[in-house]
Amino acid sequence: MSLAIKESELLEKVIFLKKTNLFSSMRTIELRTLASIAERFTFTKEDVVVKEDDVGDSMYIIESGSVRIEKKQKGGKSILLATLKSGEYFGEMALFDAELRSASAIADEECTLLNIRSDDLHDVLLDHPTIAIDLIKTFVKRLRNTTSGVSKER
Amino acid sequence: MEKETYKLRFFLLLFFTFCSAILGDSAAEALLLANFPAKVVPLMYSVNAFFLFLFSLFLMSAIDRVDRGKLFLNFLFIHAIIVFLIWVAAISGVRALFIPLFSYSYITKIFIFLLFWTLANDIVDSRKAGRDFPFIAAGGTIGAIGISFTIPWILKIISARNLLLVWSMLSVILGFSFLPINKNFKRFFLPAADRGGKKKVNLKNIFGDVLFVMKEPLLSNMSIIYFLLFFILLNQHYTFYTAIKDRYKEAGDLATFLGYFNGISMALTFILQVSLSGFLLRKIGSTRSMLLMPVAFTLIFATLTYQSLTSTLESNVSVTLYGSVTLTMFWFLITGVGIRIAFFDSFFSPNFQIFFSSLPHDIRGRGKLVIEGVIKPMAMVSASSWIFLVTPRLSFPVNMMILLGASLLMVLFSIRLRSKYTESLTEYLGSFRTKIVDNEIGENETDIDISMLPQIETQLKTEEIEIKLFLINQLSKLNDPKVFDLISRYYPEAELRVKCGIIKAFSGKTDRKLKDVFLSAFKDKTSELFALSLRALSSFDEEKIYYQIKGFIRDSDPLISTEAINALWYKAGRSDKKIYISVLGKLIFGNDSKGVICGLKTLKGKSDEPTIVSLFEKFMREREELYLKDRAVWEAFLNVTASGISHKATAVLLSLSPSLGAKKRKDITATIIHICRSGYDIFKMKGVLKDGDPVHRLILLDVLISILKHPDDDTISLLRKLAKKEADAASRELLSMDVLKRRSVEPAVDLLFNAVKEELLNVHIGNIIRIAALLDTSDRVRSVMHRLNHENEHIKARAIEVFDNCGDVAINRLAINLLDRVNEKGNVSKKGKETIVSVISKYMKNSNPWLRLCAEYATVSI
């Protein structure tokens, strides 16, 4: 068909984002806006996606493959915090503050990631404030789950 | 176990609950009547009322503070042990136990039913309850019919005393059938986490609970209805017993008649429950369904009153109460009781539970217990006292008339329930803000007076810039020489932003001291301050000043040149204006967005000059790409448009809307509202409202919601027609969604399905809801309209219940039915004529570019 490659790629991203927990409740038209600022990157095994203590300015959503989240200990040895798979995300705090990365993310195998930069997102939010509300809702839901998890452990 | 399977589990649970309760009741009644005289039964009703009251008072303070699932489970097993022990005592010959057994059977039955429905309410919201409870209630009826016919058969094998053992075993089965439910839904039965420590069970707290519930508008109204219902019901039953005792003298005949009567009325109840009940509750809504029972009562007692009065007139003898009853009257009485049983179990009882589902968890249990444990015993005692003390002193027709009066009162309170229900729900939604509050917020502006100047002078030195700007604006309203003194003293030390604020706020005033301030700004090198000073100085009407300003008309800084035009515009002649318009034209058609913005802002307020209007209209047509892309230009464009510069602007803005996002659509709505407030008649767009794109309607309806207080008859008629049109369009979209759903395994088709669903909810159904808001004079629809599709099921259910009970019933139900259909779209309905190809082709021609793009992409995948 006559659909441009660029538009096909955009719609592919929308379909993928709709399947992730973070964006599943968002309307497709909003996802289209997000997809337009989400840049696709490919990493090979053991590539460092983000490095601990670097200044963070973007978040990543794993489209395919898996990513290890590691944190350095006092002795310089790293411990594994989590292994994230397709549909999961990391670095979302950097969208709203400019603090240093609290852990490193390393490609556990060849993987494709979507990257959303905070500057681009801020521009989008000015024209699409409902995206901000949806993002806040998702983050609050995640915080609630964490809080309830902690209170259960107690 | 998924939440969806709860329905069948609860159906089975109620089946066993009824089996156990009816068997227990029959055993207790039979053992009491067999061992004691019959006159003990009416006395036991009062004893039951007393125990029911005490028992409920105790539970009232506990039910919301404990794990309800655990409470139910523990109770069932303890109950089974108690009944087993009574059985052991009974076979050992202890007859005296049969008197407390009668009350025990009654109280435990009430407790089990009460807890059963509370648990069901905990799991589902009020919308789901309306759909599922009639089905669950049918499980109970089947259990009741089954056990009623089984008891005589069991009694052929074992003695009445041994029924106690069967009862105990049934209670154990009931407990085991609840175990998996408790395991899977435990989180719903736990007390709310924020309720702190356990409250002491004492009279003060219990009284507090009763008072709390009685102050709650919905519960207090429900309590009155419940009281009237049981008062009427017990009186009717007494009449029923008197009539059958009069007709059937032998115990065997009585038992046979009652057997047939119970069997037939339960079968009728069952048929109603599985066929009409759920459908009717859903079709006419919960509050309107509440009218069925009192209307049935009214018809029954109106008929009995008429029948008894005509019999009295015909025989010319006053028919003494409950004397010989004619055969016709007998069958009227019996039919009335049969109808009451069927209506109570099919409509009233399940529907009554729905109202509890809409209440917050923390008062649901207490509300139920106050009604069951305080109101019901009160009704029982009142009815008993009435039957013993008043009934014998009145004639039969007068008694029927009194019951007719009570039925009418019940109708009245059932009608009132609608408003009380919406009142409570909006309170729990926490969203209702009346127009009065809005007006007060709008009018509540702070004013300052001249006596406050010393204090303000200090604040201007110490406060934040935003507060300083606020104070400057307030001061400019006073128009007093003392204020001008203060400003001229303060100006040199003010920050740049505050200086600009001063020039803007005091521009147009011609005080000598202010002139010095403006001249000081005129000498400033900062372009904004300088530019602002031009307009301020022009107010002094001095040729020398005009001459100086004229020199800046073609300044390279667009802010300065446009401020110069603003300063000179009203003094300019035709030839000068021509020059100014030419400068503005160059600015707004230039490439510098600052120039475009300054030029656009300068057009504002000059619409008396036709060339300015033409210039703006040309800009609207030719620079669409720029103002849609650049947010600052877009805002400036809307700002000028909102001033009502061109009557063509509304149509242009509407034509842009289908391809824009939600934020820009809202901007357009706000702009059109401003245009209307400056005198534009929105009904000039009636044609667009009637036949335009649904997105055009969406915007125009939002405008109407903001500017129209009470639509006139013509508008109401137009809005109703529009709602019908939107509903038809929505139905067509739903059929197309069915076709897409069948192929939704294809990601691209699924994407189109979601996009269509969003459009349907936002535009077509959204427009019906907007129309409902316009037709509702109570303001409640406006307060809940944004929660009708809330992600929290309980909030959504409450919002829909409010929506269902206010405003224009027909329009609101149209929207609710469509919302239900959209939410059920996980299941594909019947096949329509459309094919996947025709549906996708249809969306490829849609006015919404996003739908077009999704459709185009879907063609690739199929």
Side-chain angles (χ1 to χ4, degrees):
Chain A
M1 290 300 291
S2 59
L3 209 64
I5 295 170
K6 202 177 161 190
E7 282 173 333
S8 289
E9 270 181 17
L10 180 90
L11 290 162
E12 269 173 34
K13 285 182 202 167
V14 172
I15 290 170
F16 168 71
L17 291 173
K18 185 76 184 165
K19 284 181 193 157
T20 63
N21 281 339
L22 180 61
F23 301 113
S24 61
S25 60
M26 272 194 203
R27 300 197 306 148
T28 56
I29 189 100
E30 287 160 353
L31 290 178
R32 181 206 184 181
T33 312
L34 276 181
S36 67
I37 57 162
E39 213 176 333
R40 190 177 271 142
F41 289 99
T42 305
F43 292 88
T44 52
K45 193 173 162 57
E46 299 305 320
D47 275 354
V48 177
V49 182
V50 298
K51 201 176 162 196
E52 189 175 341
D53 293 334
D54 276 1
V55 178
D57 66 345
S58 61
M59 76 168 289
Y60 292 88
I61 306 134
I62 305 169
E63 205 176 357
S64 65
S66 58
V67 170
R68 293 196 314 273
I69 306 294
E70 292 181 353
K71 190 165 177 62
K72 264 189 198 150
Q73 295 295 86
K74 274 181 185 171
K77 205 179 165 191
S78 291
I79 56 155
L80 180 70
L81 296 179
T83 303
L84 306 177
K85 293 200 163 25
S86 173
E88 294 184 291
Y89 56 94
F90 56 92
E92 73 278 11
M93 297 296 184
L95 293 178
F96 301 102
D97 64 17
E99 295 295 312
L100 303 181
R101 297 281 190 196
S102 56
S104 297
I106 298 150
D108 207 30
E109 56 186 305
E110 184 170 310
C111 53
T112 316
L113 307 180
L114 291 181
N115 174 242
I116 296 177
R117 285 167 41 79
S118 66
D119 290 350
D120 294 338
L121 183 71
H122 292 177
D123 284 345
V124 160
L125 294 186
L126 289 173
D127 275 336
H128 302 270
T130 46
I131 295 179
I133 295 167
D134 283 333
L135 280 175
I136 292 167
K137 278 182 189 169
T138 314
F139 292 146
V140 167
K141 203 181 274 178
R142 190 156 136 160
L143 189 65
R144 249 183 224 283
N145 290 342
T146 313
T147 315
S148 102
V150 169
S151 66
K152 269 178 195 166
E153 276 171 23
R154 279 183 181 176
Chain B
M1 184 166 55
E2 288 300 310
K3 198 171 172 180
E4 292 307 314
T5 64
Y6 93 98
K7 207 163 101 173
L8 193 61
R9 300 274 178 170
F10 271 79
F11 176 92
L12 287 172
L13 192 66
L14 195 63
F15 174 87
F16 288 120
T17 307
F18 261 88
C19 288
S20 165
I22 298 243
L23 187 117
D25 255 6
S26 304
E29 206 167 319
L31 290 169
L32 181 79
L33 289 172
N35 293 284
F36 298 93
K39 64 181 180 186
V40 80
V41 177
L43 281 173
M44 289 309 293
Y45 285 139
S46 293
V47 175
N48 286 356
F50 174 71
F51 278 115
L52 181 61
F53 177 70
L54 282 188
F55 187 63
S56 304
L57 286 185
F58 163 74
L59 269 179
M60 211 176 298
S61 290
I63 195 158
D64 291 323
R65 300 175 180 95
V66 295
D67 176 347
R68 289 173 184 162
K70 203 171 165 186
L71 177 70
F72 191 54
L73 206 57
N74 289 343
F75 176 82
L76 289 174
F77 288 122
I78 293 169
H79 171 59
I81 294 168
I82 292 172
V83 175
F84 179 79
L85 292 174
I86 296 172
W87 171 70
V88 173
I91 56 169
S92 313
V94 186
R95 287 171 60 230
L97 266 179
F98 299 147
I99 292 180
L101 176 69
F102 184 80
S103 290
Y104 176 79
S105 148
Y106 180 76
I107 301 297
T108 51
K109 180 180 75 183
I110 297 285
F111 177 75
I112 290 173
F113 283 130
L114 190 140
L115 212 52
F116 172 87
W117 285 115
T118 308
L119 294 168
N121 286 142
D122 284 342
I123 294 178
V124 292
D125 58 73
S126 50
R127 297 286 300 159
K128 208 163 163 47
R131 286 196 293 270
D132 298 346
F133 281 7
F135 174 79
I136 293 172
T141 315
I142 295 173
I145 295 170
I147 201 75
S148 297
F149 288 113
T150 314
I151 291 170
W153 178 76
I154 298 174
L155 284 172
K156 283 179 189 169
I157 308 166
I158 59 169
S159 69
R161 287 176 192 214
N162 287 328
L163 278 178
L164 292 172
L165 183 63
V166 183
W167 186 14
S168 171
M169 282 156 61
L170 273 173
S171 302
V172 174
I173 294 173
L174 187 57
F176 278 112
S177 65
F178 181 66
L179 271 175
I181 295 177
N182 190 42
K183 192 182 164 197
N184 286 287
F185 297 111
K186 197 170 178 60
R187 67 185 190 281
F188 293 100
F189 306 145
L190 294 172
D194 57 353
R195 209 172 296 121
K198 284 183 184 175
K199 203 170 148 186
K200 274 186 181 175
V201 180
N202 57 36
L203 267 178
K204 193 184 162 195
N205 286 340
I206 290 165
F207 187 66
D209 280 349
V210 175
L211 270 184
F212 169 72
V213 168
M214 294 310 291
K215 275 182 192 167
E216 209 286 331
L218 174 65
L219 284 173
S220 62
N221 202 81
M222 283 167 78
S223 303
I224 298 168
I225 292 174
Y226 212 61
F227 179 88
L228 287 167
L229 171 85
F230 273 88
F231 181 82
I232 300 167
L233 184 149
L234 291 172
N235 271 282
Q236 189 196 25
H237 224 73
Y238 174 68
T239 317
F240 169 75
Y241 278 135
T242 317
I244 58 169
K245 269 185 187 171
D246 178 61
R247 190 146 295 274
Y248 302 103
K249 309 288 178 199
E250 296 299 320
D253 293 342
L254 261 170
T256 310
F257 173 80
L258 281 172
Y260 281 125
F261 176 78
N262 285 333
I264 292 167
S265 58
M266 278 179 186
L268 178 66
T269 307
F270 178 68
I271 292 167
L272 278 177
Q273 281 173 345
V274 293
S275 60
L276 202 62
S277 175
F279 170 76
L280 211 62
L281 290 186
R282 203 163 54 245
K283 199 78 190 160
I284 64 173
S286 47
T287 49
R288 283 174 284 274
S289 298
M290 281 300 283
L291 277 166
L292 292 171
M293 185 82 231
V295 166
F297 268 144
T298 307
L299 291 174
I300 290 165
F301 291 110
T303 310
L304 288 172
T305 305
Y306 174 77
Q307 191 65 29
S308 58
L309 279 172
T310 48
S311 306
T312 310
L313 290 173
E314 277 166 20
S315 61
N316 210 17
V317 180
S318 175
V319 177
T320 53
L321 183 68
Y322 310 123
S324 292
V325 182
T326 63
L327 191 63
T328 323
M329 180 69 88
F330 173 79
W331 284 113
F332 270 122
L333 279 169
I334 302 309
T335 312
V337 177
I339 290 172
R340 186 259 293 163
I341 291 173
F343 269 57
F344 182 85
D345 288 337
S346 306
F347 301 117
F348 187 87
S349 187
N351 200 24
F352 204 65
Q353 304 304 326
I354 293 168
F355 292 98
F356 287 110
S357 289
S358 62
L359 292 167
H361 185 282
D362 59 334
I363 64 164
R364 189 185 302 148
R366 276 184 288 171
K368 230 172 215 192
L369 270 163
V370 167
I371 289 180
E372 285 288 345
V374 181
I375 305 301
K376 194 170 165 183
M378 272 167 66
M380 285 164 80
V381 171
S382 306
S384 302
S385 312
W386 182 270
I387 292 165
F388 281 121
L389 302 172
V390 185
T391 304
R393 296 171 205 278
L394 302 173
S395 67
F396 184 72
V398 172
N399 264 296
M400 291 302 106
M401 266 189 249
I402 289 168
L403 292 179
L404 175 62
S407 305
L408 286 169
L409 207 60
M410 201 177 155
V411 171
L412 204 73
F413 277 99
S414 299
I415 293 170
R416 193 169 163 250
L417 189 71
R418 195 180 173 211
S419 66
K420 296 290 163 191
Y421 188 39
T422 50
E423 193 182 327
S424 285
L425 285 176
T426 30
E427 175 78 27
Y428 300 133
L429 281 167
S431 64
F432 190 60
R433 206 170 74 179
T434 62
K435 282 176 183 166
I436 300 164
V437 176
D438 279 338
N439 289 342
E440 278 177 5
I441 290 170
E443 283 166 11
N444 196 13
E445 277 190 19
T446 316
D447 279 329
I448 56 173
D449 61 61
I450 211 79
S451 66
M452 294 159 77
L453 283 187
Q455 188 194 336
I456 290 171
E457 191 164 7
T458 318
Q459 284 175 311
L460 282 173
K461 287 170 186 163
T462 54
E463 288 292 352
E464 298 285 320
I465 286 188
E466 294 303 328
I467 295 172
K468 286 179 185 174
L469 289 170
F470 170 76
L471 291 171
I472 298 287
N473 270 319
Q474 291 295 313
L475 285 173
S476 70
K477 289 177 192 169
L478 290 179
N479 213 15
D480 190 288
K482 285 179 188 161
V483 173
F484 305 146
D485 274 347
L486 188 153
I487 291 296
S488 64
R489 276 199 310 277
Y490 171 67
Y491 180 82
E493 62 186 86
E495 296 91 338
L496 178 64
R497 264 187 74 199
V498 182
K499 278 182 177 170
C500 290
I502 289 172
I503 307 295
K504 260 189 207 169
F506 288 88
S507 183
K509 298 190 193 298
T510 51
D511 184 85
R512 189 185 52 80
K513 283 189 175 155
L514 285 178
K515 190 179 174 185
D516 292 339
V517 171
F518 298 152
L519 282 171
S520 157
F522 185 68
K523 287 169 195 160
D524 202 291
K525 284 173 188 164
T526 321
S527 72
E528 191 184 354
L529 203 50
F530 174 79
L532 287 170
S533 73
L534 296 179
R535 205 189 312 192
L537 283 168
S538 71
S539 309
F540 289 90
D541 208 7
E542 290 174 20
E543 278 304 318
K544 193 181 153 196
I545 293 175
Y546 284 138
Y547 184 75
Q548 279 185 308
I549 296 173
K550 230 172 185 175
F552 297 102
I553 290 292
R554 294 182 193 276
D555 194 278
S556 59
D557 185 334
L559 185 62
I560 293 172
S561 75
T562 51
E563 279 303 318
I565 292 172
N566 274 326
L568 300 174
W569 181 264
Y570 298 101
K571 288 277 173 188
R574 184 150 292 276
S575 58
D576 282 340
K577 278 189 178 172
K578 214 174 164 184
I579 296 166
Y580 303 159
I581 291 167
S582 147
V583 171
L584 290 174
K586 276 180 188 158
L587 285 173
I588 65 172
F589 286 97
N591 294 324
D592 172 27
S593 65
K594 188 185 172 190
V596 177
I597 293 164
C598 291
L600 278 173
K601 283 183 179 171
T602 312
L603 299 182
K604 201 173 163 182
K606 300 178 179 69
S607 59
D608 52 336
E609 177 62 48
T611 334
I612 289 281
V613 179
S614 308
L615 192 66
F616 177 74
E617 285 170 355
K618 192 180 173 205
F619 178 85
M620 272 200 301
R621 284 193 308 273
E622 294 179 11
R623 304 229 70 186
E624 187 184 311
E625 200 182 332
L626 173 74
Y627 60 71
L628 287 182
K629 199 175 159 193
D630 188 320
R631 199 161 39 83
V633 176
W634 170 250
E635 280 168 9
F637 165 65
L638 291 185
N639 192 284
V640 188
T641 314
S643 68
I645 189 168
S646 163
H647 66 276
K648 291 179 186 166
T650 308
V652 172
L653 290 177
L654 284 176
S655 71
L656 295 171
S657 58
S659 59
L660 301 178
K663 170 76 169 61
K664 281 205 166 78
R665 282 183 190 174
K666 278 191 177 169
D667 290 343
I668 288 178
T669 308
T671 307
I672 299 178
I673 290 169
H674 269 282
I675 294 173
C676 292
R677 285 191 177 143
S678 59
Y680 179 77
D681 179 13
I682 192 67
F683 286 104
K684 280 183 185 165
M685 305 303 292
K686 223 172 205 170
V688 180
L689 197 60
K690 265 161 79 177
D691 305 311
D693 187 278
V695 178
H696 297 164
R697 272 202 289 279
L698 178 154
I699 290 174
L700 289 175
L701 287 169
D702 275 341
V703 171
L704 285 176
I705 287 175
S706 286
I707 61 167
L708 203 64
K709 282 185 182 166
H710 302 290
D712 57 27
D713 290 346
D714 283 348
T715 313
I716 290 172
S717 155
L718 171 68
L719 290 172
R720 287 197 175 126
K721 277 183 197 156
L722 284 180
K724 180 80 181 51
K725 194 174 177 175
E726 292 287 9
D728 291 342
S731 296
R732 286 195 296 276
E733 299 285 303
L734 281 163
L735 286 175
S736 303
M737 278 170 68
D738 276 343
V739 178
L740 294 171
K741 187 71 196 167
R742 285 194 195 97
R743 292 288 293 271
S744 62
V745 281
E746 316 262 9
V749 178
D750 191 44
L751 175 67
L752 178 61
F753 171 83
N754 281 313
V756 172
K757 185 178 170 181
E758 288 157 10
E759 181 81 352
L760 174 65
L761 283 169
N762 188 37
V763 181
H764 295 299
I765 301 178
N767 280 351
I768 302 175
I769 294 167
R770 286 178 184 93
I771 291 169
L774 277 164
L775 296 175
D776 171 38
T777 49
S778 74
D779 243 13
R780 291 198 189 277
V781 171
R782 284 170 214 228
S783 72
V784 299
M785 62 191 283
H786 300 295
R787 295 171 189 220
L788 294 173
N789 227 3
H790 202 276
E791 56 259 47
N792 181 310
E793 287 298 320
H794 283 279
I795 292 175
K796 184 164 90 180
R798 280 177 196 153
I800 292 179
E801 286 295 307
V802 174
F803 186 62
D804 194 15
N805 287 290
C806 52
D808 188 307
V809 177
I811 302 293
N812 295 9
R813 293 211 68 83
L814 207 59
I816 290 172
N817 289 336
L818 286 166
L819 278 172
D820 283 346
R821 284 174 67 189
V822 174
N823 292 330
E824 285 161 11
K825 270 289 156 258
N827 311 314
V828 178
S829 65
K830 63 184 176 210
K831 221 171 177 175
K833 287 176 187 170
E834 290 182 296
T835 63
I836 187 80
V837 177
S838 67
V839 168
I840 293 176
S841 307
K842 185 177 83 178
Y843 288 115
M844 281 173 78
K845 291 171 204 150
N846 198 285
S847 63
N848 180 335
W850 175 234
L851 283 185
R852 282 205 303 272
L853 184 64
C854 290
E856 212 173 313
Y857 187 57
T859 53
V860 180
S861 73
I862 62 160

